[in-house]
Structure formats: structure tokens, C-alpha cells
Amino acid sequence: MSRSSFFREVEEAPSSSPSSFSSHGGPPMKELTFCEVWSQSQPLMRPFLRRALRVSQMDFETALTEMVSLLTNPGLVFKQASYRKQTKGRWSRDDPAFAVCQAGFLGVAMLATGAALRARRVLTYAYLVVAGVAVHWLAAGFLASTGATFLANRYLRKNEIKGPTVEWLYAFDVHCNAFFVYFVGSYVLHFFLLPITLMPRSFVAMLVANTLHASAFAAYFYVTHVGFRTLPFLQDTEVFLYPALGALALLLLSIVLGLLGFRLNFSIAALSALIAPLPYS
């Protein structure tokens, strides 16, 4: 799909309203367990994983276009999810190109971080890639998607709605979209600011590092909020913004403590935790 066709489809997609998903009468809504929601996602998961092994079936141009849009107008990307629901009967992506690109970019970023830290051994670079891709993105994303799916289906569905539930794979889509924005701030920009952010005992370094990480963390949960707000059968999705407020509160606290002489630099702390398991560099 070309860049122009992507935006044309988004702009032409009719808007979804909550009333189009409403039920009239019938028994009260049944609370689904996570296992039931997970089993409902399996038919969507299998073709998604199969396509991930076939490069020719992935639309990388659209994936890159969506990445640019996430930095300028994330709502436009999630409007495409509404278009998918109307045409394919699913909210989540059926094309794994976005996730594949994201994993690749993250792997490159971790290799660049290893080079910046002057790592000398191949195993060190392998460890950094696994830590970034398999742990920070995939494993953490699995937990975040699982928690968001449970929260949305158990507490955020509208009482009058019977039937629609949040797909686990859509929650993972939301994580991927949000993580890309976080990645740009906490990995890409952070890499270029390493000479500043890693200055020990510097208030300016602490201020730049903590502002960068707090902003990236807040952006992750803002995009998460936008993603779940798109689903017309959910309400009170503002709860996904609460961690963002917590990140900003921690930033203000770190600034106050820094002025008092206690300087906790998030960049130094994060990199120290990252390389702590390494017996050598």
C-alpha cells in the first residue's frame, strides 16, 4: 500500500459511533476471563505470525508511513484501525510489518548503544540486542498488552454493550505504536545526547536525562490512551494517562532533589542496570 493510498483510506473511512455497537435488550453482559479473550484472539494470531515469516507479504511502506504519523498525529494511525474493523472485521493489524520494522530498529539502536559504550565482545552486543528486543519490547509488551486487555475488558466496557471485547492482538498493536514513540525519545534522541546525559554529578545532565525519559514514558501512555479511546465500546480510557502523570511527578521530584544535592540521573541508572549482568564488556 502506498503512502497516498494509506492516507486516502484513512480519510475516507466512515467514523464509528458507539451506537453502531449497541445491543438492545437481552441478558446482562457476561464478564469474560482473560483465557476466553486469549482464545478468541488465536484465529487472528496464527495468520499474523505466518505472515511474519514471509517478507513478500508484508507492506513495509505503510508501516514506515504509520511510524511517521505516530510522531505527528497518532490519532490518524488508530483511525486506520476503525477502517480495518469495518472492512476486515478486526481492530488489530493483520500485517506484521510494523512489528518487524520496530524490532529491527530496536536491534540497531542496541548495537549503536554497545558501540557508544565501547563494548569489545560479540557476546556483549548479542546480550544488548536480546535485552532490548526480547525483554524490553517483546516481554514487557506482552505483560503490558495482557494487563491492558484485562483492564479494558473487565472495567472499561460500557454497561449497555454486550459482545465486543478488546482483542489481545489489538492491545499489542497499541503497545507497538506507543513503544515506537517511546523508542524515538528514550533510544534515538538519548543516543545522540549520551555525551551530556552521562556526565556524572551534573545537574544539567540529570535535568536533560530525566526530562527525556519522563517525556518518552509519558508519550507512551498518551498514545496508549489514544489507542483505547478509539474503541467505541470503551469508556473512562483516561485511566491510561495516570502513569504519565506519575512520570511527570517523578520528574519534578527529581529536579527538587537535584537542587538539594541529591541527583538521580535516570540515564546512568538505566544503563547501569542494563550492563549489570555483564561480567565484562
Side-chain angles (χ1 to χ4, degrees):
M1 182 185 294
S2 64
R3 177 185 177 93
S4 59
S5 63
F6 167 78
F7 287 108
R8 184 169 61 254
E9 287 178 350
V10 171
E11 292 170 356
E12 293 176 354
S15 59
S16 301
S17 62
S19 60
S20 63
F21 293 88
S22 299
S23 62
H24 303 281
M29 180 179 63
K30 174 182 179 293
E31 289 189 355
L32 297 176
T33 65
F34 173 74
C35 291
E36 290 173 323
V37 175
W38 176 258
S39 64
Q40 291 176 2
S41 300
Q42 296 308 301
L44 304 179
M45 186 79 70
R46 295 189 191 98
F48 181 85
L49 295 176
R50 283 197 298 267
R51 287 188 65 178
L53 302 176
R54 301 174 182 177
V55 177
S56 61
Q57 294 188 5
M58 290 187 280
D59 188 351
F60 291 104
E61 183 179 355
T62 295
L64 295 175
T65 299
E66 289 181 339
M67 288 179 175
V68 174
S69 298
L70 284 169
L71 300 176
T72 57
N73 185 8
L76 187 63
V77 176
F78 289 110
K79 190 174 181 180
Q80 181 75 353
S82 299
Y83 176 78
R84 278 194 301 272
K85 180 62 177 178
Q86 295 163 15
T87 57
K88 300 181 180 181
R90 58 186 291 164
W91 293 97
S92 58
R93 293 183 177 97
D94 58 351
D95 185 352
F98 189 96
V100 171
C101 286
Q102 189 167 70
F105 290 156
L106 185 55
V108 172
M110 296 307 295
L111 292 175
T113 300
L117 297 177
R118 298 181 181 179
R120 297 185 296 273
R121 298 178 183 271
V122 174
L123 287 179
T124 300
Y125 287 97
Y127 161 79
L128 291 174
V129 171
V130 170
V133 178
V135 178
H136 195 198
W137 173 65
L138 188 59
F142 180 87
L143 294 176
S145 303
T146 301
T149 302
F150 174 81
L151 175 65
N153 285 328
R154 180 60 64 89
Y155 300 107
L156 303 184
R157 286 194 294 169
K158 296 178 179 178
N159 292 331
E160 70 271 15
I161 299 300
K162 174 173 70 74
T165 58
V166 177
E167 306 163 6
W168 185 91
L169 197 55
Y170 178 77
F172 185 72
D173 263 356
V174 173
H175 161 72
C176 289
N177 291 342
F179 190 90
F180 178 75
V181 180
Y182 171 84
F183 164 79
V184 171
S186 193
Y187 282 81
V188 179
L189 291 179
H190 181 249
F191 173 79
F192 291 104
L193 294 175
L194 280 177
I196 298 176
T197 59
L198 295 186
M199 294 172 56
R201 297 182 298 278
S202 168
F203 178 81
V204 174
M206 182 210 70
L207 179 62
V208 172
N210 294 2
T211 301
L212 186 62
H213 286 287
S215 300
F217 189 81
Y220 176 94
F221 283 97
Y222 170 75
V223 176
T224 299
H225 159 68
V226 174
F228 285 99
R229 186 182 63 189
T230 301
L231 302 180
F233 53 87
L234 296 183
Q235 62 184 356
D236 300 328
T237 55
E238 294 80 8
V239 298
F240 292 106
L241 292 174
Y242 294 163
L245 298 177
L248 297 179
L250 285 177
L251 172 62
L252 294 177
L253 178 62
S254 71
I255 293 175
V256 172
L257 293 177
L259 292 173
L260 297 176
F262 181 76
R263 294 169 184 172
L264 175 60
N265 186 312
F266 292 167
S267 289
I268 294 177
L271 287 175
S272 298
L274 176 65
I275 65 177
L278 294 173
Y280 49 78
S281 60

